[in-house]
Amino acid sequence: MEKKLTWKELPIGDILEGGSSLKFKTGNWRSKIPVHIPEKCINCFICWISCPDDAIIVDAEKGKWSSFNYDYCKGCGICAYECPKKAIEMREEIEK
Amino acid sequence: MGIKVAKTANEAFAEGMRQINPDVVAAYPITPATEIVQIFSQFVADGLVKTEFIQVESEHSALSACIGASAAGARTMTGTSSQGLAYMWEMLYIASGLRLPIIMAVVNRTLSSPINIHCDHSDTFGARDSGWIQIYSENVQETYDNLIQGVRIAEHPEVRLPCMIMTDGFILSHCLETMEMLTDEEVRDFVDEPPERENLIKAAVENKPITIGALDLPDYYFEHKRQQAEGMKNALRVIPEISKEFGNRFGRYYGFVENYRIEDADIGIVVIGSTAGTGKEVVDNLRKKGIKAGLLKIRVLRPLPVEDIKNSLKNLKVVGIMERVEGMNAFCSPLYSEISSCLYDLEKRPILTNFVYGLGGRDVKIKDIEIVFNDLLKILERGKKEFTLKYIGVRE
C-alpha cells in the first residue's frame, strides 16, 4: 500500500517531477478487456495509432504487433472498433 | 530618498512596475486600468525594462500567460479591472492553487449589468475567496507603496501566493496627487531577486522536466488546499515583517489596518479605499464638537487580520460598516459579514450596523458620511439599532 503524504510533506502547489502519471495505474478502471487474435491481425498498427493511453506495444523493428499494456488499458474499446480485420475483441474481464 | 512627483494611481502603478522590472507582463486593456499597461508598454518599447511584454486577446489569456511564465520561474505581473477580472475567474484559482506569486494591479470598477465603468469594490470582493492576497489603497502613494511591498509578500517562501493590489477606479486611477517616488535603485534593492523555488531549480539544474497542475483526486486535493491555507496564514506574519522593513527603509509604515482616532472612540466607521480620506475629515469635524468618533480603514482584506480588527473595535459602542458593495444576500454587504464574524468571540461587542454606498461610482461626500455618524449617534443614545442595512446616497 502506497504511503500517502501529509500536507506538510507534499511538494508545494502540485508542481511535481515529470512523468508522474506512470505511477498511477489506470488499468483497474477496466470493465471489458481487449483480446488479440493473431490469426486475423495484419500488423497494420491502426490500433496502436488509435489507443489514447499508449497501451498497445508493437515491435517496430520487426513490424509486428506485440502486446497490450494492461496496467494502463482502461478498456475503452477504441482499438477493437478501429481494427479493420476484427483482430481485437472486447471480452468480459472474467472470460479472458 | 525619493522625490515628490504628481502622479495618478495608474501612472504610479506603471512607474512602480518599471522600477520592479518584472520578467514577464501579460495584459489586456480595460477601462479604467488600460493606462497601466499602456504606459508600461511604452517603457518596454523605450528599452527601460527587460520585460517580455505579451499582448493577448483576452484577460483569460492574460492570466493564463502569467501562470505559464510564473510557473517557469519568471517574476510576473498583470493589471485589470471589473469585467476583465471576472473573465480571469477560473485562472485566479489556478494561479493561487499552483502557488504562483503573480502580482496584479487592479483598478476597482463595478460589474455589469447595467454597464458602468466607475468605482465600487464588487469586482475584487467577489474574488476575496480565490486564494489571492488582497491589499487595498486609500490614495496614490499607498497604491505605489502597496505594489512594491506586494512583490516581496507574494514571493516570500512561506507565503507563495498571488497578490492583487487595489486602487479606486477614476477616484484614484485618474486623479493626480502628489506622492513620493522612490529611486529606481531603492526599489531594485528592496524587491531584489525573487527567492528560489526549489522545484524550478531542479528542473533547470538537473534538466528534469516538471509536471504543473497534475490531476489531484480526492486522495490528495484536500492536502494541497490545506497547504495553501497555511500559506495564507503565514502571510499574517510575513506582511507586517515586510511592511516594517519598508517603513524602516523609506519612512512610511503600514499596518493591516489603519486606526484613525479610534483608540478612545465611542462610535466609528469601517471603510476601505479612498473613502477613508473623506471619512477622516468627518471624524475631525465631529471631534471638534466633542463627539468621540473614529475610523478604521481596512488595508489588507486577505488574509483577514482578525486580531487587528478585534483590537481596533473592541472598545467601541457603535460601529457602522460602510462598503461600496451590495452583497445581494438580502441581509448585508460582505464586509459586514467579515467584520461581525471577527468580533463574535468578544465578550463585549459593539452594536454593528451596515451602510452600502457609492455603487457604480456614486460620489460619497462629507454630508453622506455625516448621515452615517448621525445614525450611529442615535443608536448610541437608544442603546439599540433599528436597522442592519441602510443605503446611503440612493434616491428613495
Side-chain angles (χ1 to χ4, degrees):
Chain A
M1 191 68 186
E2 172 202 358
K3 183 196 173 287
K4 291 194 170 140
L5 303 176
T6 69
W7 67 268
K8 288 174 191 162
E9 297 164 336
L10 274 180
I12 281 209
D14 194 19
I15 295 179
L16 312 159
E17 79 273 26
S20 56
S21 63
L22 281 173
K23 292 180 184 167
F24 187 42
K25 295 190 175 168
T26 46
N28 62 359
W29 296 12
R30 199 170 53 233
S31 66
K32 286 198 172 180
I33 188 164
V35 175
H36 184 240
I37 302 157
E39 310 83 67
K40 293 187 183 172
C41 179
I42 57 169
N43 294 302
C44 68
F45 296 175
I46 287 175
C47 57
W48 174 75
I49 292 167
S50 308
C51 177
D53 278 306
D54 275 356
I56 290 171
I57 319 290
V58 297
D59 186 333
E61 281 181 16
K62 291 185 186 154
K64 290 273 185 196
W65 195 95
S66 172
S67 59
F68 290 111
N69 184 342
Y70 289 123
D71 281 348
Y72 302 104
C73 168
K74 298 190 185 98
C76 70
I78 291 175
C79 54
Y81 182 86
E82 293 294 338
C83 179
K85 294 290 175 188
K86 301 201 187 307
I88 296 175
E89 281 178 13
M90 298 304 291
R91 296 188 189 156
E92 293 302 321
E93 186 86 22
I94 201 158
E95 300 169 10
K96 177 183 125 185
Chain B
M1 284 308 267
I3 45 158
K4 282 216 160 171
V5 290
K7 295 276 176 210
T8 66
N10 277 347
E11 289 167 351
F13 264 145
E15 290 286 354
M17 286 166 74
R18 176 182 62 73
Q19 295 178 310
I20 292 161
N21 199 355
D23 300 311
V24 173
V25 169
Y28 189 82
I30 181 166
T31 303
T34 301
E35 278 180 330
I36 301 170
V37 277
Q38 181 187 327
I39 298 166
F40 185 77
S41 65
Q42 188 67 51
F43 295 149
V44 177
D46 293 346
L48 299 178
V49 285
K50 61 169 184 194
T51 309
E52 179 86 21
F53 185 73
I54 309 173
Q55 286 169 301
V56 287
E57 77 288 2
S58 75
E59 288 84 357
H60 189 280
S61 300
L63 193 51
S64 299
C66 288
I67 286 168
S70 183
R75 181 175 265 165
T76 307
M77 300 179 91
T78 186
T80 195
S81 183
S82 182
Q83 305 303 119
L85 183 67
Y87 197 20
M88 286 179 176
W89 216 260
E90 63 167 338
M91 308 318 292
L92 289 179
Y93 284 76
I94 292 171
S96 60
L98 293 176
R99 310 293 297 277
L100 302 176
I102 298 164
I103 302 295
M104 174 152 42
V106 184
V107 180
N108 280 116
R109 165 187 151 183
T110 193
L111 289 166
S112 296
S113 183
I115 190 167
N116 177 314
I117 55 170
H118 291 275
C119 178
D120 68 35
H121 297 154
S122 330
D123 51 359
T124 52
F125 254 74
R128 70 193 182 283
D129 297 341
S130 64
W132 285 60
I133 290 165
Q134 288 200 332
I135 308 179
Y136 291 81
S137 320
E138 177 185 333
N139 50 42
V140 175
Q141 183 76 63
E142 277 192 31
T143 306
Y144 173 82
D145 291 347
N146 286 342
L147 182 76
I148 290 162
Q149 291 173 61
V151 175
R152 290 278 307 279
I153 295 164
E155 288 174 354
H156 193 286
E158 285 168 48
V159 176
R160 253 192 240 171
L161 285 170
C163 176
M164 46 179 90
I165 309 296
M166 268 60 82
T167 202
D168 280 351
F170 291 105
I171 302 166
L172 297 174
S173 69
H174 288 63
C175 174
L176 265 183
E177 287 184 351
T178 52
M179 60 163 285
E180 193 181 291
M181 246 181 86
L182 305 173
T183 65
D184 295 358
E185 289 71 28
E186 282 171 325
V187 175
R188 203 177 307 143
D189 273 3
F190 185 79
V191 298
D192 206 6
E193 289 297 312
E196 291 180 350
R197 286 187 265 158
E198 71 287 335
N199 44 5
L200 303 176
I201 298 301
K202 196 176 168 188
V205 176
E206 297 177 21
N207 198 21
K208 283 186 178 160
I210 52 173
T211 297
I212 297 164
L215 188 68
D216 214 14
L217 293 177
D219 51 354
Y220 273 111
Y221 183 88
F222 202 165
E223 277 70 26
H224 276 127
K225 284 294 148 185
R226 175 64 187 86
Q227 204 177 56
Q228 191 183 334
E230 193 71 6
M232 191 57 92
K233 211 168 135 193
N234 291 343
L236 278 176
R237 180 168 44 76
V238 169
I239 291 170
E241 283 172 19
I242 308 279
S243 296
K244 193 177 170 195
E245 189 189 326
F246 186 89
N248 289 346
R249 287 206 201 186
F250 309 125
R252 288 186 296 278
Y253 291 88
Y254 295 97
F256 286 114
V257 299
E258 182 188 340
N259 295 308
Y260 189 77
R261 307 187 79 164
I262 206 159
E263 290 75 11
D264 64 335
D266 290 326
I267 56 174
I269 56 171
V270 179
V271 291
I272 290 183
S274 61
T275 307
T278 321
K280 287 170 185 172
E281 180 77 11
V282 176
V283 167
D284 288 345
N285 294 342
L286 290 169
R287 285 276 175 173
K288 278 179 205 151
K289 293 180 197 163
I291 295 165
K292 284 182 166 180
L295 177 147
L296 174 68
K297 179 181 82 186
I298 306 292
R299 173 174 167 256
V300 179
L301 185 69
R302 287 290 181 272
L304 185 68
V306 181
E307 291 306 319
D308 291 64
I309 291 170
K310 267 189 199 170
N311 282 333
S312 300
L313 298 178
K314 65 183 176 195
N315 293 325
L316 272 74
K317 296 191 174 77
V318 187
V319 174
I321 293 151
M322 295 183 64
E323 184 47 334
R324 45 191 350 143
V325 179
E326 163 53 49
M328 293 296 172
N329 62 358
F331 173 46
C332 66
S333 80
L335 187 62
Y336 182 90
S337 308
E338 301 270 344
I339 303 287
S340 55
S341 63
C342 288
L343 303 183
Y344 187 78
D345 288 335
L346 289 174
E347 285 196 3
K348 199 168 78 53
R349 301 185 285 269
I351 299 173
L352 297 183
T353 187
N354 191 193
F355 299 88
V356 166
Y357 73 96
L359 298 188
R362 175 78 40 99
D363 252 356
V364 59
K365 297 175 179 165
I366 283 180
K367 68 171 174 46
D368 298 309
I369 299 176
E370 282 170 353
I371 293 170
V372 170
F373 272 107
N374 280 336
D375 279 332
L376 300 184
L377 277 172
K378 274 183 216 159
I379 296 168
L380 183 68
E381 279 167 23
R382 292 173 192 166
K384 60 171 184 164
K385 62 177 174 183
E386 270 142 23
F387 61 88
T388 294
L389 173 63
K390 187 171 182 176
Y391 297 95
I392 297 293
V394 73
R395 288 184 297 278
E396 295 289 352

mmCIF file of all heavy atoms in Angstrom, chain B residues 351-387:
data_model
loop_
_atom_site.group_PDB
_atom_site.id
_atom_site.type_symbol
_atom_site.label_atom_id
_atom_site.label_comp_id
_atom_site.label_asym_id
_atom_site.label_seq_id
_atom_site.Cartn_x
_atom_site.Cartn_y
_atom_site.Cartn_z
ATOM 1 N N ILE B 351 -22.366 47.486 18.999
ATOM 2 C CA ILE B 351 -23.524 47.293 18.118
ATOM 3 C C ILE B 351 -23.038 47.582 16.702
ATOM 4 O O ILE B 351 -22.390 48.600 16.456
ATOM 5 C CB ILE B 351 -24.667 48.262 18.491
ATOM 6 C CG1 ILE B 351 -25.127 48.004 19.933
ATOM 7 C CG2 ILE B 351 -25.826 48.133 17.507
ATOM 8 C CD1 ILE B 351 -26.132 49.031 20.451
ATOM 9 N N LEU B 352 -23.340 46.678 15.774
ATOM 10 C CA LEU B 352 -22.876 46.838 14.390
ATOM 11 C C LEU B 352 -24.041 47.175 13.473
ATOM 12 O O LEU B 352 -25.133 46.633 13.631
ATOM 13 C CB LEU B 352 -22.240 45.553 13.870
ATOM 14 C CG LEU B 352 -20.984 45.030 14.547
ATOM 15 C CD1 LEU B 352 -20.480 43.792 13.823
ATOM 16 C CD2 LEU B 352 -19.902 46.097 14.586
ATOM 17 N N THR B 353 -23.763 48.063 12.543
ATOM 18 C CA THR B 353 -24.759 48.308 11.507
ATOM 19 C C THR B 353 -24.035 48.547 10.188
ATOM 20 O O THR B 353 -22.839 48.786 10.158
ATOM 21 C CB THR B 353 -25.701 49.458 11.921
ATOM 22 O OG1 THR B 353 -26.734 49.557 10.966
ATOM 23 C CG2 THR B 353 -24.975 50.766 12.037
ATOM 24 N N ASN B 354 -24.780 48.429 9.109
ATOM 25 C CA ASN B 354 -24.177 48.339 7.784
ATOM 26 C C ASN B 354 -24.724 49.434 6.855
ATOM 27 O O ASN B 354 -25.924 49.672 6.821
ATOM 28 C CB ASN B 354 -24.524 46.941 7.222
ATOM 29 C CG ASN B 354 -23.749 46.578 5.966
ATOM 30 O OD1 ASN B 354 -24.086 45.619 5.294
ATOM 31 N ND2 ASN B 354 -22.708 47.313 5.620
ATOM 32 N N PHE B 355 -23.813 50.105 6.170
ATOM 33 C CA PHE B 355 -24.211 51.148 5.217
ATOM 34 C C PHE B 355 -23.607 50.836 3.849
ATOM 35 O O PHE B 355 -22.384 50.747 3.724
ATOM 36 C CB PHE B 355 -23.721 52.517 5.685
ATOM 37 C CG PHE B 355 -24.287 52.926 7.027
ATOM 38 C CD1 PHE B 355 -23.644 52.554 8.204
ATOM 39 C CD2 PHE B 355 -25.466 53.656 7.103
ATOM 40 C CE1 PHE B 355 -24.161 52.911 9.438
ATOM 41 C CE2 PHE B 355 -25.985 54.020 8.342
ATOM 42 C CZ PHE B 355 -25.341 53.647 9.516
ATOM 43 N N VAL B 356 -24.456 50.659 2.868
ATOM 44 C CA VAL B 356 -23.969 50.448 1.498
ATOM 45 C C VAL B 356 -24.047 51.779 0.769
ATOM 46 O O VAL B 356 -25.072 52.474 0.849
ATOM 47 C CB VAL B 356 -24.792 49.361 0.778
ATOM 48 C CG1 VAL B 356 -24.513 49.375 -0.732
ATOM 49 C CG2 VAL B 356 -24.458 47.985 1.352
ATOM 50 N N TYR B 357 -22.953 52.163 0.121
ATOM 51 C CA TYR B 357 -22.888 53.477 -0.526
ATOM 52 C C TYR B 357 -22.108 53.364 -1.831
ATOM 53 O O TYR B 357 -21.449 52.348 -2.094
ATOM 54 C CB TYR B 357 -22.181 54.474 0.399
ATOM 55 C CG TYR B 357 -20.689 54.243 0.491
ATOM 56 C CD1 TYR B 357 -19.799 54.956 -0.315
ATOM 57 C CD2 TYR B 357 -20.170 53.270 1.347
ATOM 58 C CE1 TYR B 357 -18.425 54.716 -0.263
ATOM 59 C CE2 TYR B 357 -18.809 53.030 1.405
ATOM 60 C CZ TYR B 357 -17.943 53.750 0.603
ATOM 61 O OH TYR B 357 -16.595 53.501 0.642
ATOM 62 N N GLY B 358 -22.169 54.393 -2.654
ATOM 63 C CA GLY B 358 -21.213 54.568 -3.759
ATOM 64 C C GLY B 358 -21.240 53.536 -4.861
ATOM 65 O O GLY B 358 -20.249 53.394 -5.576
ATOM 66 N N LEU B 359 -22.348 52.805 -5.023
ATOM 67 C CA LEU B 359 -22.356 51.788 -6.082
ATOM 68 C C LEU B 359 -22.250 52.456 -7.448
ATOM 69 O O LEU B 359 -22.845 53.502 -7.690
ATOM 70 C CB LEU B 359 -23.628 50.935 -6.009
ATOM 71 C CG LEU B 359 -23.825 50.118 -4.726
ATOM 72 C CD1 LEU B 359 -25.023 49.183 -4.874
ATOM 73 C CD2 LEU B 359 -22.580 49.320 -4.361
ATOM 74 N N GLY B 360 -21.495 51.837 -8.344
ATOM 75 C CA GLY B 360 -21.333 52.362 -9.698
ATOM 76 C C GLY B 360 -20.692 53.732 -9.739
ATOM 77 O O GLY B 360 -20.902 54.494 -10.672
ATOM 78 N N GLY B 361 -19.899 54.053 -8.713
ATOM 79 C CA GLY B 361 -19.162 55.313 -8.717
ATOM 80 C C GLY B 361 -19.939 56.501 -8.186
ATOM 81 O O GLY B 361 -19.468 57.642 -8.286
ATOM 82 N N ARG B 362 -21.117 56.265 -7.569
ATOM 83 C CA ARG B 362 -21.850 57.376 -6.952
ATOM 84 C C ARG B 362 -20.950 58.037 -5.905
ATOM 85 O O ARG B 362 -20.380 57.356 -5.053
ATOM 86 C CB ARG B 362 -23.134 56.827 -6.296
ATOM 87 C CG ARG B 362 -23.976 57.788 -5.497
ATOM 88 C CD ARG B 362 -24.846 58.731 -6.291
ATOM 89 N NE ARG B 362 -25.516 58.217 -7.475
ATOM 90 C CZ ARG B 362 -26.797 57.809 -7.521
ATOM 91 N NH1 ARG B 362 -27.543 57.825 -6.439
ATOM 92 N NH2 ARG B 362 -27.318 57.395 -8.654
ATOM 93 N N ASP B 363 -20.823 59.357 -6.011
ATOM 94 C CA ASP B 363 -19.958 60.104 -5.096
ATOM 95 C C ASP B 363 -20.365 59.902 -3.642
ATOM 96 O O ASP B 363 -21.555 59.872 -3.337
ATOM 97 C CB ASP B 363 -20.075 61.604 -5.402
ATOM 98 C CG ASP B 363 -18.811 62.133 -6.074
ATOM 99 O OD1 ASP B 363 -17.849 61.361 -6.221
ATOM 100 O OD2 ASP B 363 -18.813 63.323 -6.442
ATOM 101 N N VAL B 364 -19.367 59.788 -2.779
ATOM 102 C CA VAL B 364 -19.673 59.838 -1.343
ATOM 103 C C VAL B 364 -19.017 61.095 -0.807
ATOM 104 O O VAL B 364 -17.831 61.324 -0.982
ATOM 105 C CB VAL B 364 -19.233 58.562 -0.590
ATOM 106 C CG1 VAL B 364 -17.751 58.306 -0.714
ATOM 107 C CG2 VAL B 364 -19.630 58.639 0.877
ATOM 108 N N LYS B 365 -19.851 61.953 -0.208
ATOM 109 C CA LYS B 365 -19.369 63.251 0.230
ATOM 110 C C LYS B 365 -19.395 63.328 1.751
ATOM 111 O O LYS B 365 -19.932 62.445 2.418
ATOM 112 C CB LYS B 365 -20.244 64.352 -0.379
ATOM 113 C CG LYS B 365 -20.151 64.368 -1.900
ATOM 114 C CD LYS B 365 -21.097 65.374 -2.511
ATOM 115 C CE LYS B 365 -20.922 65.345 -4.030
ATOM 116 N NZ LYS B 365 -22.014 66.000 -4.728
ATOM 117 N N ILE B 366 -18.823 64.435 2.240
ATOM 118 C CA ILE B 366 -18.792 64.632 3.686
ATOM 119 C C ILE B 366 -20.191 64.513 4.283
ATOM 120 O O ILE B 366 -20.392 63.843 5.296
ATOM 121 C CB ILE B 366 -18.136 65.994 3.998
ATOM 122 C CG1 ILE B 366 -16.615 65.827 3.826
ATOM 123 C CG2 ILE B 366 -18.487 66.473 5.396
ATOM 124 C CD1 ILE B 366 -15.797 67.052 4.086
ATOM 125 N N LYS B 367 -21.192 65.118 3.614
ATOM 126 C CA LYS B 367 -22.551 65.085 4.189
ATOM 127 C C LYS B 367 -23.104 63.649 4.229
ATOM 128 O O LYS B 367 -23.907 63.321 5.102
ATOM 129 C CB LYS B 367 -23.491 66.031 3.440
ATOM 130 C CG LYS B 367 -23.834 65.639 2.028
ATOM 131 C CD LYS B 367 -24.948 66.549 1.498
ATOM 132 C CE LYS B 367 -25.261 66.328 0.030
ATOM 133 N NZ LYS B 367 -25.397 64.954 -0.430
ATOM 134 N N ASP B 368 -22.674 62.796 3.294
ATOM 135 C CA ASP B 368 -23.142 61.404 3.320
ATOM 136 C C ASP B 368 -22.589 60.672 4.548
ATOM 137 O O ASP B 368 -23.305 59.908 5.213
ATOM 138 C CB ASP B 368 -22.681 60.663 2.050
ATOM 139 C CG ASP B 368 -23.260 61.270 0.789
ATOM 140 O OD1 ASP B 368 -24.489 61.459 0.747
ATOM 141 O OD2 ASP B 368 -22.490 61.580 -0.140
ATOM 142 N N ILE B 369 -21.320 60.916 4.824
ATOM 143 C CA ILE B 369 -20.715 60.231 5.972
ATOM 144 C C ILE B 369 -21.248 60.832 7.280
ATOM 145 O O ILE B 369 -21.356 60.141 8.294
ATOM 146 C CB ILE B 369 -19.169 60.274 5.871
ATOM 147 C CG1 ILE B 369 -18.742 59.558 4.575
ATOM 148 C CG2 ILE B 369 -18.512 59.606 7.073
ATOM 149 C CD1 ILE B 369 -17.272 59.585 4.278
ATOM 150 N N GLU B 370 -21.631 62.119 7.228
ATOM 151 C CA GLU B 370 -22.270 62.714 8.412
ATOM 152 C C GLU B 370 -23.606 62.035 8.713
ATOM 153 O O GLU B 370 -23.954 61.835 9.883
ATOM 154 C CB GLU B 370 -22.489 64.226 8.191
ATOM 155 C CG GLU B 370 -21.194 65.014 8.378
ATOM 156 C CD GLU B 370 -21.301 66.479 7.943
ATOM 157 O OE1 GLU B 370 -22.348 66.870 7.371
ATOM 158 O OE2 GLU B 370 -20.340 67.219 8.171
ATOM 159 N N ILE B 371 -24.336 61.659 7.656
ATOM 160 C CA ILE B 371 -25.606 60.924 7.862
ATOM 161 C C ILE B 371 -25.329 59.623 8.607
ATOM 162 O O ILE B 371 -26.038 59.255 9.541
ATOM 163 C CB ILE B 371 -26.290 60.636 6.496
ATOM 164 C CG1 ILE B 371 -26.748 61.952 5.857
ATOM 165 C CG2 ILE B 371 -27.457 59.670 6.663
ATOM 166 C CD1 ILE B 371 -27.221 61.808 4.411
ATOM 167 N N VAL B 372 -24.256 58.945 8.188
ATOM 168 C CA VAL B 372 -23.887 57.685 8.841
ATOM 169 C C VAL B 372 -23.599 57.917 10.325
ATOM 170 O O VAL B 372 -24.139 57.221 11.203
ATOM 171 C CB VAL B 372 -22.651 57.047 8.152
ATOM 172 C CG1 VAL B 372 -22.117 55.871 8.958
ATOM 173 C CG2 VAL B 372 -22.997 56.622 6.726
ATOM 174 N N PHE B 373 -22.761 58.931 10.613
ATOM 175 C CA PHE B 373 -22.413 59.189 12.022
ATOM 176 C C PHE B 373 -23.633 59.625 12.831
ATOM 177 O O PHE B 373 -23.748 59.284 14.016
ATOM 178 C CB PHE B 373 -21.284 60.214 12.113
ATOM 179 C CG PHE B 373 -19.919 59.582 12.064
ATOM 180 C CD1 PHE B 373 -19.120 59.688 10.938
ATOM 181 C CD2 PHE B 373 -19.435 58.859 13.150
ATOM 182 C CE1 PHE B 373 -17.859 59.100 10.893
ATOM 183 C CE2 PHE B 373 -18.178 58.263 13.123
ATOM 184 C CZ PHE B 373 -17.389 58.382 11.978
ATOM 185 N N ASN B 374 -24.565 60.382 12.210
ATOM 186 C CA ASN B 374 -25.791 60.761 12.921
ATOM 187 C C ASN B 374 -26.587 59.528 13.320
ATOM 188 O O ASN B 374 -27.117 59.446 14.429
ATOM 189 C CB ASN B 374 -26.666 61.676 12.050
ATOM 190 C CG ASN B 374 -26.159 63.103 12.096
ATOM 191 O OD1 ASN B 374 -25.491 63.505 13.059
ATOM 192 N ND2 ASN B 374 -26.449 63.879 11.059
ATOM 193 N N ASP B 375 -26.650 58.554 12.397
ATOM 194 C CA ASP B 375 -27.342 57.295 12.720
ATOM 195 C C ASP B 375 -26.643 56.577 13.874
ATOM 196 O O ASP B 375 -27.290 56.031 14.762
ATOM 197 C CB ASP B 375 -27.393 56.385 11.489
ATOM 198 C CG ASP B 375 -28.517 56.778 10.536
ATOM 199 O OD1 ASP B 375 -29.526 57.338 11.021
ATOM 200 O OD2 ASP B 375 -28.380 56.549 9.320
ATOM 201 N N LEU B 376 -25.300 56.573 13.825
ATOM 202 C CA LEU B 376 -24.545 55.899 14.888
ATOM 203 C C LEU B 376 -24.802 56.576 16.234
ATOM 204 O O LEU B 376 -24.934 55.911 17.271
ATOM 205 C CB LEU B 376 -23.042 55.885 14.575
ATOM 206 C CG LEU B 376 -22.604 55.183 13.283
ATOM 207 C CD1 LEU B 376 -21.082 55.178 13.167
ATOM 208 C CD2 LEU B 376 -23.132 53.757 13.199
ATOM 209 N N LEU B 377 -24.889 57.905 16.216
ATOM 210 C CA LEU B 377 -25.163 58.647 17.458
ATOM 211 C C LEU B 377 -26.539 58.300 18.023
ATOM 212 O O LEU B 377 -26.715 58.128 19.233
ATOM 213 C CB LEU B 377 -25.072 60.157 17.203
ATOM 214 C CG LEU B 377 -23.665 60.752 17.241
ATOM 215 C CD1 LEU B 377 -23.682 62.197 16.774
ATOM 216 C CD2 LEU B 377 -23.039 60.637 18.633
ATOM 217 N N LYS B 378 -27.527 58.183 17.111
ATOM 218 C CA LYS B 378 -28.884 57.803 17.549
ATOM 219 C C LYS B 378 -28.879 56.434 18.206
ATOM 220 O O LYS B 378 -29.512 56.209 19.235
ATOM 221 C CB LYS B 378 -29.848 57.781 16.345
ATOM 222 C CG LYS B 378 -30.461 59.144 16.043
ATOM 223 C CD LYS B 378 -31.445 59.029 14.893
ATOM 224 C CE LYS B 378 -31.384 60.276 14.022
ATOM 225 N NZ LYS B 378 -31.909 60.036 12.678
ATOM 226 N N ILE B 379 -28.152 55.497 17.570
ATOM 227 C CA ILE B 379 -28.074 54.134 18.126
ATOM 228 C C ILE B 379 -27.393 54.177 19.494
ATOM 229 O O ILE B 379 -27.814 53.506 20.439
ATOM 230 C CB ILE B 379 -27.321 53.189 17.162
ATOM 231 C CG1 ILE B 379 -28.103 53.052 15.850
ATOM 232 C CG2 ILE B 379 -27.099 51.818 17.791
ATOM 233 C CD1 ILE B 379 -27.340 52.390 14.709
ATOM 234 N N LEU B 380 -26.361 55.033 19.603
ATOM 235 C CA LEU B 380 -25.641 55.173 20.875
ATOM 236 C C LEU B 380 -26.582 55.670 21.973
ATOM 237 O O LEU B 380 -26.587 55.141 23.096
ATOM 238 C CB LEU B 380 -24.474 56.152 20.693
ATOM 239 C CG LEU B 380 -23.563 56.380 21.906
ATOM 240 C CD1 LEU B 380 -22.753 55.118 22.222
ATOM 241 C CD2 LEU B 380 -22.603 57.551 21.658
ATOM 242 N N GLU B 381 -27.423 56.664 21.632
ATOM 243 C CA GLU B 381 -28.375 57.208 22.622
ATOM 244 C C GLU B 381 -29.387 56.163 23.054
ATOM 245 O O GLU B 381 -29.687 56.001 24.231
ATOM 246 C CB GLU B 381 -29.140 58.401 22.020
ATOM 247 C CG GLU B 381 -28.374 59.702 22.059
ATOM 248 C CD GLU B 381 -29.028 60.770 21.180
ATOM 249 O OE1 GLU B 381 -30.250 60.649 20.910
ATOM 250 O OE2 GLU B 381 -28.314 61.688 20.739
ATOM 251 N N ARG B 382 -29.938 55.433 22.058
ATOM 252 C CA ARG B 382 -31.027 54.484 22.342
ATOM 253 C C ARG B 382 -30.505 53.149 22.860
ATOM 254 O O ARG B 382 -31.266 52.349 23.411
ATOM 255 C CB ARG B 382 -31.854 54.235 21.085
ATOM 256 C CG ARG B 382 -32.640 55.464 20.670
ATOM 257 C CD ARG B 382 -33.309 55.242 19.333
ATOM 258 N NE ARG B 382 -33.822 56.520 18.825
ATOM 259 C CZ ARG B 382 -34.213 56.722 17.583
ATOM 260 N NH1 ARG B 382 -34.142 55.733 16.719
ATOM 261 N NH2 ARG B 382 -34.663 57.885 17.200
ATOM 262 N N GLY B 383 -29.224 52.876 22.614
ATOM 263 C CA GLY B 383 -28.648 51.602 23.061
ATOM 264 C C GLY B 383 -29.074 50.417 22.218
ATOM 265 O O GLY B 383 -28.849 49.265 22.592
ATOM 266 N N LYS B 384 -29.730 50.663 21.090
ATOM 267 C CA LYS B 384 -30.091 49.554 20.183
ATOM 268 C C LYS B 384 -30.257 50.089 18.755
ATOM 269 O O LYS B 384 -30.474 51.288 18.550
ATOM 270 C CB LYS B 384 -31.363 48.853 20.645
ATOM 271 C CG LYS B 384 -32.563 49.772 20.697
ATOM 272 C CD LYS B 384 -33.838 48.993 20.948
ATOM 273 C CE LYS B 384 -35.010 49.975 20.891
ATOM 274 N NZ LYS B 384 -36.285 49.400 20.747
ATOM 275 N N LYS B 385 -30.167 49.164 17.806
ATOM 276 C CA LYS B 385 -30.316 49.577 16.407
ATOM 277 C C LYS B 385 -31.697 49.213 15.886
ATOM 278 O O LYS B 385 -32.328 48.272 16.368
ATOM 279 C CB LYS B 385 -29.236 48.933 15.548
ATOM 280 C CG LYS B 385 -29.258 47.419 15.483
ATOM 281 C CD LYS B 385 -28.181 46.896 14.541
ATOM 282 C CE LYS B 385 -28.095 45.381 14.581
ATOM 283 N NZ LYS B 385 -27.032 44.824 13.762
ATOM 284 N N GLU B 386 -32.132 50.002 14.893
ATOM 285 C CA GLU B 386 -33.439 49.701 14.309
ATOM 286 C C GLU B 386 -33.324 49.148 12.891
ATOM 287 O O GLU B 386 -34.317 48.802 12.273
ATOM 288 C CB GLU B 386 -34.319 50.961 14.339
ATOM 289 C CG GLU B 386 -35.122 51.044 15.633
ATOM 290 C CD GLU B 386 -35.247 52.460 16.162
ATOM 291 O OE1 GLU B 386 -35.114 53.387 15.357
ATOM 292 O OE2 GLU B 386 -35.443 52.618 17.377
ATOM 293 N N PHE B 387 -32.105 49.111 12.373
ATOM 294 C CA PHE B 387 -31.888 48.508 11.050
ATOM 295 C C PHE B 387 -30.493 47.898 11.027
ATOM 296 O O PHE B 387 -29.628 48.289 11.808
ATOM 297 C CB PHE B 387 -32.021 49.562 9.931
ATOM 298 C CG PHE B 387 -30.992 50.678 10.052
ATOM 299 C CD1 PHE B 387 -29.742 50.546 9.460
ATOM 300 C CD2 PHE B 387 -31.283 51.845 10.769
ATOM 301 C CE1 PHE B 387 -28.801 51.561 9.578
ATOM 302 C CE2 PHE B 387 -30.332 52.854 10.884
ATOM 303 C CZ PHE B 387 -29.090 52.715 10.294
#
